[in-house]
C-alpha cells in the first residue's frame, strides 16, 4: 500500500494564507456583560478546571437570513437563548459545530491551532446539513473578538486551554421539513482541563456491534450533533460495563474500525508504522488526526490511512505486532487506549512511547514550547 499522501480538500484549504487577527479585530463589536462572573466564581472555575461545563462572560453571535445573508455580528453577554419551541433545530437537528482551543503561552500571548482547518470543516459540515457557509474571515474574526473580550478566561498551565465551540443552527420557526431560512452562529468558550479525568493514563474502549454512528452517504463526515447523539446509547451501555468510550465499526460488515464516539483512532505497529482508518466519507476528518499524520510523515514515519480490520487488530495485539493504540481529537488531544473489548475479546495495551512522543510533540507546538515548523499556530491576542 502506498504511503504517498495527497492533501485532502480541508488540508489544502487550511494551507491558504489567512488574514491576521489585527486585520480582523473589531468585526464583532463588543456589548459588555453588565453582570460578569464574580471574582470568587471566576477564581473557583479557573482553579478547578474540568471539561466543558463552565462558560465565560461573553459569546460571539451573528445571524443569517435567506434574504439578507449574514448580519448582526457581535460579542454579546453569555446567557440563555430565547429560542421558540418551534425552531427547526429542535425538531430536525439541522445544526453543526466545531471544536478548537485557545492556548496561553508563557509570555501571556494567546494562540489557536490551525483555525483555517476548522473554518473549512465547519463549511464542509454546513453544506451537508443544508446550512449557509460562514465566510472564513468571519469565522476567524469571531474567535479573535470573542477571545479578546474574554482573554482572562484562557487558563495558564499544561493541558489547559479555553475550549472554543463555534456552532450553527436552524432557528426558523417552522415545522415543515425544509432547509431553514434563518440560521444563528455562536461561539461559546469553556475554560478547560483534560477531557478524560483519567488524564494520560489511558482509557478503556468498548467495540460496539449492532449500532453505528453513521453510514455511507449519511452525515458521518460532518460534525453534526446527530452523529454524537447516535453514539450516546451504546456509550451508556459501555459505561455500565466500565468503559469510557465506544469504537464503531463499518455498517456493512462490522469488520473495520471507524472511529470512537467523538475521536479518531490510531494504531502503532511494532515495526514503527502508524495506521489510522482511512477517510471513507463516514468518519470525521479530524484536525488532530490530520496534524498527527503530517507531523509523523515529516519525521519519516510511514503512516498508512487504510481499512483496519478489528480481527487483525486483536490478533496483532496478541502477537505483539500491534504495539500501541490511541485516540485523538481537539478535546482529547492524544489519549492512550489501554483496553479494547467486546463480547468476543478483551485485550490490554501499554501507554506506549510513540503515543507519549506524539502527545508531547503536538502539545509542545500548541503551548509554544517548540518551534512550529508547519505554521499551524495563529495568534489571537
Ligand atoms: C472535539 O474534540 O473538539 C470534539 O468536538 C469532540 C467532543 C467529544 C468533545
Amino acid at each position: 500500500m502506498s504511503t504517498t499522501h495527497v492533501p485532502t480538500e480541508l488540508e489544502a484549504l487550511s494551507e491558504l494564507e489567512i488574514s491576521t487577527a489585527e486585520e480582523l479585530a473589531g468585526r464583532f463589536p463588543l456589548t459588555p456583560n453588565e453582570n460578569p462572573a464574580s471574582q470568587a466564581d471566576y477564581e473557583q472555575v479557573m482553579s478547578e478546571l474540568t471539561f466543558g461545563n463552565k462558560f465565560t462572560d461573553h459569546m460571539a453571535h451573528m445571524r443569517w437570513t435567506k434574504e439578507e445573508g449574514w448580519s448582526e455580528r457581535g460579542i454579546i453577554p453569555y446567557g440563555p437563548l430565547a429560542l421558540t419551541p418551534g425552531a427547526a433545530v429542535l425538531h430536525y437537528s439541522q445544526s453543526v459545530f466545531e471544536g478548537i482551543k485557545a492556548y496561553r503561552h508563557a509570555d501571556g500571548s494567546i494562540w489557536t491551532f490551525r483555525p483555517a482547518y476548522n473554518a473549512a470543516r465547519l463549511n464542509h459540515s454546513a453544506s451537508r446539513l443544508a446550512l449557509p457557509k460562514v465566510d472564513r474571515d468571519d469565522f476567524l474574526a469571531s474567535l479573535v473578538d470573542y477571545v479578546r473580550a474574554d482573554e482572562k478566561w484562557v487558563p495558564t498551565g499544561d493541558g489547559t486551554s479555553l475550549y472554543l465551540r463555534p456552532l450553527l443552527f436552524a432557528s426558523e420557526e417552522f415545522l415543515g421539513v425544509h432547509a431553514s431560512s434563518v440560521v444563528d452562529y455562536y461561539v461559546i468558550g469553556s475554560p478547560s482541563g483534560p477531557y478524560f479525568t483519567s488524564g494520560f493514563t489511558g482509557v478503556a474502549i468498548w467495540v460496539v456491534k449492532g449500532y453505528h454512528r453513521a453510514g455511507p452517504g449519511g452525515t458521518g463526515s460532518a460534525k453534526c450533533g446527530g452523529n454524537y447523539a447516535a453514539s450516546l446509547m451504546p456509550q451508556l451501555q459501555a459505561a455500565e460495563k466500565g468503559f469510557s468510550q465506544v469504537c464503531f465499526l463499518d455498517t456493512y460488515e462490522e469488520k473495520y474500525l471507524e472511529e470512537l464516539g467523538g475521536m479518531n483512532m490510531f494504531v502503532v505497529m511494532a515495526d514503527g508504522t502508524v495506521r489510522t482508518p482511512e477517510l471513507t466519507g463516514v468518519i470525521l476528518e479530524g484536525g488532530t488526526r490530520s496534524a498527527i499524520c503530517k507531523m509523523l510523515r515529516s519525521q519519516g514515519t510511514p503512516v498508512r490511512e487504510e481499512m483496519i480490520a478489528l480481527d487483525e487488530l486483536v490478533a496483532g495485539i496478541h502477537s505483539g505486532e500491534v504495539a500501541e493504540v490511541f485516540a485523538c481529537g481537539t478535546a482529547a488531544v492524544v489519549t492512550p487506549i489501554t483496553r479494547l473489548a467486546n463480547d468476543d475479546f478483551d485485550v490490554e495495551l501499554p501507554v506506549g512511547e510513540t503515543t507519549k512522543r506524539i502527545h508531547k510533540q503536538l502539545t509542545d507546538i500548541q503551548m509554544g514550547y517548540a518551534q512550529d515548523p508547519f505554521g499551524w499556530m495563529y495568534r489571537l491576542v
Side-chain angles (χ1 to χ4, degrees), residues 51 97-100 163 165 195 223 228 245 262-263 329-332:
F51 177 84
F97 67 95
E98 270 304 316
I100 181 166
Y163 181 80
R165 176 52 68 86
Y195 184 77
K223 203 162 173 65
Y228 295 78
Q245 270 277 329
M263 286 148 227
T330 300

Side-chain angles (χ1 to χ4, degrees), residues 7-8 15-16 21 24 31 67 118 137 140 156 159 206 242 362 372:
T8 66
E15 299 290 329
L16 301 176
L24 296 169
T31 304
E67 296 73 37
N118 295 78
D137 278 352
L140 296 171
T156 306
W206 181 259
L362 188 63
D372 170 21

Side-chain angles (χ1 to χ4, degrees), residues 27-29 60-76 132-135 138 168 181-186:
R27 269 195 187 213
F28 286 68
H61 172 247
M62 60 178 178
R63 169 163 292 176
W64 178 90
T65 63
K66 201 170 171 187
E67 296 73 37
E68 288 173 22
W70 290 105
S71 64
E72 300 180 32
R73 292 170 185 78
I75 305 298
I76 56 177
K133 292 198 173 174
V134 173
D135 175 71
D138 272 337
L168 265 181
S181 60
V182 186
V183 172
D184 280 287
Y185 169 83
Y186 286 88

Side-chain angles (χ1 to χ4, degrees), residues 274-304:
V274 175
R275 306 167 70 201
T276 191
E278 72 178 291
L279 300 172
T280 54
V282 173
I283 68 172
L284 188 77
E285 190 176 335
T288 310
R289 175 192 181 281
S290 153
I292 290 171
C293 290
K294 183 155 186 164
M295 206 169 68
L296 289 174
R297 286 183 176 124
S298 79
Q299 296 163 359
T301 301
V303 179
R304 299 207 313 248

Side-chain angles (χ1 to χ4, degrees), residues 1 4 63 71 78 102 148 151 154 160 173 229 261 281 295 330:
M1 176 135 338
T4 313
R63 169 163 292 176
S71 64
Y78 178 86
R148 288 182 177 205
E151 66 169 288
V154 182
T160 72
E173 188 175 30
M295 206 169 68
T330 300

